[in-house]
Amino acid sequence: MKLFYSPGACSLGIHVILEEIGKPFETQLVSTRDGSNRKPEFLAVNPKAKVPALQRDDGSVLTEWPVIAWWLAKSNPMSGLIPIEFEAETRCLEWMDYLCGTVHPQGFTRMFRPGNFARDAEDEERVKAQGKALAEGFLELVARQWKGGDWLLPSGYSVADAALFFIEEWAVGERARMELPPKLKAHRAAMRNRPAVERALKKEGLS
Ligand SMILES: N[C@@H](CCC(=O)N[C@@H](CS)C(=O)NCC(=O)O)C(=O)O
């Protein structure tokens, strides 16, 4: 299995999940900062030009964060990374979809890639501010809707926590400089205490 990742990108969450599972896997750096994701070598792997992409042992490639996470968790049931009970699994998918399908692309992508949304260069500051305001609202919602204890789901640690983690890292990072709601601040600290998270951060040069 091989994970195509860019340091600190949303692929960090999938990296965490692979470390949690603990089976051997390879990593292939594809920097989105220098545009390596748009080179023909990577487009041959993922024509969408996005990380994460996961090449499985049969050579086939999975894309889309929630799907990769779901597939990894379901194909490694002993790792306990997704609830077994149907309603709890549904809620896990619901959170992953919100984090990866709303919080990431509508909030943080506006801050990190304003050019994708702005009318022209002058409009970029407005787009960044809009992204930050949206992201703050999204994270407040996560905190308000929190039903778990230390982890996002009441059923315990799951792949949804890895999705929240990469968002939290972005929120406190240089490019966003946001204050996390207390619940998420505690969650980020708990995540950073997990050996699998420490390993993933170290391997990506982020710890
Ligand atoms: N819908 C995709 C989005 C993945 C995505 O946007 N990845 C970003 C990194 S966080 C990326 O590869 N960006 C490169 C680009 O847009 O040029 C998913 O959920 O996996």
Side-chain angles (χ1 to χ4, degrees):
M1 212 138 52
K2 190 196 281 185
L3 173 68
F4 294 83
Y5 79 102
S6 182
C10 57
S11 45
L12 171 64
I14 299 296
H15 199 165
V16 165
I17 294 168
L18 284 163
E19 289 289 347
E20 296 281 7
I21 290 168
K23 289 185 182 163
F25 64 96
E26 292 172 56
T27 50
Q28 171 82 52
L29 173 66
V30 182
S31 171
T32 56
R33 295 199 180 205
D34 72 8
S36 296
N37 57 311
R38 303 200 173 271
K39 291 187 180 157
E41 306 88 274
F42 184 61
L43 293 177
V45 174
N46 182 9
K48 295 171 182 165
K50 303 274 187 198
V51 294
L54 185 74
Q55 187 164 48
R56 296 181 287 186
D57 291 340
D58 67 359
S60 64
V61 174
L62 275 183
T63 63
E64 303 303 328
W65 205 107
V67 172
I68 298 171
W70 177 83
W71 181 83
L72 281 170
K74 295 293 273 191
S75 52
N76 293 280
M78 296 308 285
S79 62
L81 290 172
I82 198 157
I84 295 163
E85 196 269 316
F86 184 51
E87 174 64 13
E89 180 178 2
T90 305
R91 294 297 178 189
C92 182
L93 294 172
E94 184 182 41
W95 273 123
M96 289 198 290
D97 199 76
Y98 183 64
L99 293 163
C100 299
T102 297
V103 183
H104 170 183
Q106 293 188 25
F108 286 90
T109 307
R110 274 193 169 79
M111 275 185 267
F112 300 165
R113 294 194 180 264
N116 290 0
F117 301 88
R119 286 186 294 272
D120 50 41
E122 283 175 12
D123 192 34
E124 290 196 6
E125 287 310 312
R126 182 195 63 82
V127 169
K128 279 192 204 171
Q130 185 190 36
K132 190 165 184 173
L134 284 167
E136 278 165 357
F138 297 148
L139 296 185
E140 286 297 338
L141 181 139
V142 176
R144 272 200 315 278
Q145 297 293 316
W146 197 277
K147 299 208 167 48
D150 290 344
W151 311 117
L152 188 49
L153 295 172
S155 47
Y157 185 70
S158 75
V159 282
D161 291 293
L164 181 55
F165 177 65
F166 79 75
I167 297 272
E168 289 164 343
E169 288 297 300
W170 286 353
V172 302
E174 285 277 294
R175 293 179 295 173
R177 293 175 186 273
M178 288 164 62
E179 186 70 33
L180 287 172
K183 201 84 207 166
L184 275 59
K185 206 172 185 170
H187 178 263
R188 175 174 176 251
M191 287 296 292
R192 279 184 155 259
N193 273 334
R194 294 184 73 89
V197 175
E198 276 181 38
R199 286 196 298 276
L201 287 169
K202 192 164 176 218
K203 285 190 193 166
E204 296 199 12
L206 302 168
S207 48

